[in-house]
Amino acid sequence: MKKTKIDPGYNISVAETGPERLHLILSGNLHTENCALLLNDLKTRLSGKPPRDIELDFGGVDYLDSSAAAVIAQAKFSLQKRGAYNVKLTNIKPEIQKLFNILNLDSLLREGARIRERRPGLFTQVGTASIKFAKDTAFTCGYLGDVTLGLGHAIRHPNKIRWSDVFLYVERTGIEAIPIVLLISFLVGFIMAFQAAVQLKQFGADIFVANLVGLTVVRELGPLMTAIIVAGRSGAAFAAEIGTMKVSEEIDALESMGLNPTRFLIIPKIIATLVTLPTLTLMADMVGIFGGLVVGVLFLDLTPWGYILQTERALDFFDVFTGYFKSIVFAILISGIGCMRGLQVEGGAQGVGRFTTSAVVSGIFLIIVSDALFTLMFNYVKW
Amino acid sequence: MNDTVIQVRDLTTGYDEEVILNNVSFDVHRGEIFIILGGSGCGKSTLLRHMVGLRQPYRGKVLIEGKDVVTAEGREREGILRKFGVLFQSSALLSSMTLAENVALPLQEYTHLPRHMIDFLVRAKLGMVGLRGYEGYLPDQLSGGMKKRAGIARAIALDPEILFFDEPSAGLDPVTSSNLDDLIIQLNASLGTTMVVVTHELPSIYAIAHRVIMLDKRTKKIIAEGRPSDLRDKSADPFVRDFFNRQVREGLYS
């Protein structure tokens, strides 16, 4: 609340007061800044049972804006409701009167001042949610079909793929991601080796740090960490990009030109991710193992060569293959869900934010769930 | 009180290396509808962005009631900004808010009025632009003309002394566009608001303008100033006469 010491910029004086009649003279400027004060002022002066006749004299008011006009109109209305028979606003300067006229406040007050908010009932909410679920499901099915057709088309007509876009996205999703992927996988390998070393040292099994790090990185953490990084970087970027295009009607424009948005926008992104994510994963595998090697050499007195030999012995082709295969699936999931969330955007800027978030969250969710399924599956497949 | 509300002095601006406006000076008087016009790409919208302090000029000043809108900071800048409202070309309503929330935004930030009074004012403002009953609509659900009206309602929420319009009729049909012109005239007449309008729509210009300046792409300067009918009939510059008569002359527009 404002301090009361400050000059409010207006003045109210009482010209006549009595049980039957009240005459107030207002002067000064009434505007946005002081209309809240005016509102309180009028409330205190006019509380209780009002007299029959009330005159508000605006002779001294030089300037009055619409906020103040609203305050006055509200005061007049509430006085009339509480039994003041005759409330008059007098001596209003012509400019100010024009403002009162154009604002048309009295008719608004008779309608009721509040803006009614539409709050749907439980029944409506359940219904709306169900319809939304059905629509989303239909959309997902349609989208999956579109993407499958688009990929099929791309395989049959490789020259129709927009290769310049593919290269652009290879750069965005792959090359630009190399530093962060390498740093994180190095640290993951390093940390894991360190923790393992502490335990294994107790049994004199130092060398098996290489087995542990090698297997975990190549089979699980390499593909998983890389996929999560790419989901956060590129899945979000895809959703934001396509979502913004949707909001600004660019998708509609493509469609009306007879260009299939799936083929035009989504297929290049999926192909690019299919190229980059498995490659990044292999890099992450190597750097993760290197992180373990650094721990082995620095803290466990292993020789680099010995560590590498032990890693080689621990891993077979199948281990590397499962990681690589998983990353291919992750690539489809990340780019697919990113683009899909982009297409689902509605409701302007906030919608873009919401669906970008959703692209990352559902991307990571799908990665983890499918990883769990793969782990179970490979467990049975392995010879 | 000084009759001049906005003074633009020796304004030079452009994008990167390219100068778009060179040494442009003019005044806007209190209570008039002032139009900035010119062909596409001559820098009229850029000039408007300078006048509302969104861009820094290379050289020169923009004074609003004597205060420099470019160099002002903090409370002083806030004070200057409060003096005007802007209607952007795309209306720039916040898409996640209803019309009522859009219009209420400046009122909530700058007044201490209770909620029901703000609601009341919001409805009055929307009523002024002919959007009574649309309080709960999202901008997406409205037509282009209605969005512009809502944009105006938000711009006049705090009763500014100056209103800036960036191509108010862009993308509107002639009837809607002429309704908008009427609204501009009505607001100007009833509230005495100074209006600065950027446009190249001739019917609009004839309907609302008290005074115009015309910018030229080649000379990067003001090539004409005055009342539109005078410029059409009496201007010495053939380019200006052509513009107002809608004639195309070979080579002039290249």
Side-chain angles (χ1 to χ4, degrees):
Chain A
M1 212 52 240
K2 286 216 167 171
K3 283 164 244 147
T4 43
K5 292 275 179 195
I6 292 174
D7 174 29
Y10 70 92
N11 188 35
I12 302 180
S13 57
V14 183
E16 191 185 338
T17 179
E20 285 296 305
R21 190 176 145 73
L22 177 69
H23 183 181
L24 295 179
I25 298 176
L26 289 87
S27 59
N29 296 328
L30 304 170
H31 46 74
T32 327
E33 313 266 323
N34 61 16
C35 60
L37 289 174
L38 176 72
L39 181 72
N40 288 331
D41 212 351
L42 288 177
K43 254 189 201 157
T44 38
R45 278 170 195 275
L46 304 171
S47 59
K49 174 141 178 54
R52 236 176 79 91
D53 284 309
I54 295 175
E55 183 179 345
L56 296 175
D57 189 330
F58 286 81
V61 175
D62 300 317
Y63 175 77
L64 183 147
D65 74 2
S66 39
S67 319
V71 169
I72 304 281
Q74 173 76 44
K76 180 181 163 190
F77 183 73
S78 91
L79 282 172
Q80 281 168 334
K81 249 193 350 200
R82 283 183 294 138
Y85 186 70
N86 188 8
V87 184
K88 270 192 301 193
L89 311 179
T90 55
N91 281 331
I92 301 179
K93 299 220 162 87
E95 316 82 88
I96 298 176
Q97 185 58 52
K98 266 190 202 163
L99 178 72
F100 271 109
N101 294 345
I102 194 174
L103 281 170
N104 201 5
L105 296 165
D106 295 340
S107 82
L108 277 177
L109 282 168
R110 280 194 293 275
E111 284 175 23
R114 280 239 171 224
I115 293 170
R116 269 178 286 283
E117 275 166 35
R118 294 167 297 174
R119 282 239 176 73
L122 180 69
F123 193 68
T124 324
Q125 283 182 21
V126 171
T128 320
S130 315
I131 291 171
K132 191 174 170 302
F133 179 76
K135 272 188 182 162
D136 281 353
T137 313
F139 178 84
T140 311
C141 294
Y143 175 76
L144 287 178
D146 264 354
V147 170
T148 314
L149 280 179
L151 282 174
H153 182 267
I155 292 167
R156 274 181 289 121
H157 310 275
N159 54 332
K160 285 275 176 75
I161 299 171
R162 294 175 54 84
W163 288 109
S164 57
D165 280 0
V166 173
F167 290 132
L168 175 76
Y169 287 111
V170 165
E171 192 182 335
R172 295 268 166 79
T173 64
I175 297 169
E176 288 174 14
I178 289 175
I180 183 76
V181 167
L182 295 192
L183 176 71
I184 291 195
S185 36
F186 174 80
L187 288 178
V188 166
F190 187 92
I191 293 164
M192 207 165 44
F194 203 91
Q195 296 285 10
V198 175
Q199 303 301 322
L200 292 176
K201 224 175 178 173
Q202 301 172 30
F203 309 102
D206 299 11
I207 189 65
F208 289 107
V209 168
N211 294 47
L212 193 139
V213 171
L215 277 173
T216 329
V217 164
V218 167
R219 293 183 68 153
E220 291 295 341
L221 287 184
L224 207 57
M225 296 308 294
T226 315
I228 289 175
I229 294 168
V230 171
R233 288 183 83 252
S234 307
F238 294 163
E241 182 187 322
I242 294 180
T244 311
M245 291 180 78
K246 172 102 188 287
V247 170
S248 53
E249 296 181 315
E250 288 174 46
I251 305 272
D252 297 342
L254 285 175
E255 221 153 330
S256 70
M257 284 187 278
L259 298 170
N260 182 334
T262 314
R263 236 178 272 164
F264 199 82
L265 295 172
I266 297 172
I267 298 302
K269 294 184 174 65
I270 294 182
I271 294 177
T273 321
L274 273 172
V275 173
T276 54
L277 187 57
T279 317
L280 285 173
T281 303
L282 291 182
M283 291 183 194
D285 289 352
M286 283 190 274
V287 177
I289 291 171
F290 177 68
L293 186 143
V294 169
V295 173
V297 172
L298 290 184
F299 301 99
L300 297 174
D301 296 330
L302 300 174
T303 61
W305 191 236
Y307 189 95
I308 291 172
L309 275 180
Q310 183 66 23
T311 308
E312 216 183 324
R313 225 172 289 149
L315 296 177
D316 57 25
F317 173 75
F318 186 78
D319 297 319
V320 182
F321 170 77
T322 54
Y324 192 80
F325 179 78
K326 278 198 277 193
S327 70
I328 291 175
V329 176
F330 292 163
I332 296 176
L333 291 176
I334 293 169
S335 51
I337 197 82
C339 296
M340 176 170 136
R341 291 291 182 254
L343 286 178
Q344 284 176 307
V345 165
E346 49 191 36
Q350 217 171 49
V352 174
R354 209 152 48 87
F355 282 97
T356 306
T357 311
S358 162
V360 177
V361 173
S362 35
I364 292 178
F365 173 76
L366 287 177
I367 290 167
I368 304 280
V369 169
S370 60
D371 191 48
L373 291 177
F374 278 129
T375 306
L376 289 175
M377 202 173 85
F378 288 137
N379 194 32
Y380 290 111
V381 166
K382 192 165 185 183
W383 53 82
Chain B
M1 208 181 263
N2 192 351
D3 195 33
T4 303
V5 195
I6 306 172
Q7 294 168 285
V8 176
R9 288 289 169 267
D10 305 324
L11 188 87
T12 301
T13 185
Y15 292 94
D16 298 325
E17 293 294 291
E18 195 188 357
V19 172
I20 291 180
L21 295 171
N22 193 8
N23 264 329
V24 170
S25 300
F26 60 91
D27 289 342
V28 180
H29 307 311
R30 189 174 300 283
E32 74 176 345
I33 300 182
F34 182 85
I35 291 195
I36 300 169
L37 62 87
S40 299
C42 69
K44 15 184 225 311
S45 290
T46 310
L47 179 56
L48 188 97
R49 294 176 71 81
H50 278 290
M51 293 172 81
V52 299
L54 285 173
R55 275 173 60 86
Q56 296 265 355
Y58 293 167
R59 204 151 48 77
K61 278 185 210 168
V62 176
L63 303 176
I64 292 187
E65 298 199 323
K67 288 184 190 142
D68 194 331
V69 72
V70 176
T71 57
E73 276 172 27
R75 289 195 76 81
E76 194 190 5
R77 183 177 155 82
E78 204 175 276
I80 301 173
L81 295 184
R82 286 276 301 278
K83 287 188 196 302
F84 58 77
V86 187
L87 174 67
F88 289 94
Q89 207 174 107
S90 57
S91 306
L93 297 168
L94 302 183
S95 57
S96 53
M97 296 182 172
T98 64
L99 289 199
E101 287 165 339
N102 263 289
V103 179
L105 199 61
L107 292 168
Q108 285 163 347
E109 288 298 312
Y110 288 115
T111 68
H112 300 279
L113 288 174
R115 169 85 196 275
H116 71 101
M117 284 304 299
I118 288 182
D119 280 0
F120 176 40
L121 257 172
V122 165
R123 295 200 317 143
K125 295 287 175 181
L126 284 172
M128 273 171 84
V129 298
L131 286 177
R132 192 184 270 201
Y134 288 95
E135 288 84 2
Y137 281 61
L138 288 170
D140 275 1
Q141 299 168 301
L142 299 180
S143 70
M146 287 159 89
K147 274 190 223 175
K148 297 261 168 155
R149 284 166 175 277
I152 295 178
R154 185 177 67 179
I156 61 173
L158 293 172
D159 296 275
E161 292 167 41
I162 310 161
L163 271 177
F164 291 96
F165 295 84
D166 192 4
E167 310 221 2
S169 1
L172 300 182
D173 67 82
V175 178
T176 315
S177 161
S178 123
N179 286 338
L180 204 63
D181 288 344
D182 292 343
L183 182 63
I184 292 174
I185 295 170
Q186 192 197 8
L187 290 175
N188 174 261
S190 58
L191 305 176
T193 315
T194 310
M195 308 268 185
V196 177
V197 185
V198 162
T199 184
H200 50 219
E201 301 277 327
L202 272 179
S204 261
I205 294 167
Y206 287 127
I208 65 178
H210 295 158
R211 208 155 60 85
V212 307
I213 56 168
M214 186 164 173
L215 300 174
D216 180 49
K217 199 174 177 177
R218 286 169 305 156
T219 58
K220 309 181 195 318
K221 284 189 187 307
I222 297 173
I223 50 165
E225 179 166 358
R227 285 179 22 196
S229 54
D230 290 350
L231 293 183
R232 178 188 55 197
D233 302 330
K234 297 174 192 159
S235 173
D237 189 332
F239 177 70
V240 177
R241 283 204 309 274
D242 288 349
F243 186 97
F244 282 96
N245 289 308
R246 302 195 62 169
Q247 280 173 2
V248 178
R249 196 175 290 212
E250 284 300 316
L252 263 179
Y253 289 85
S254 56

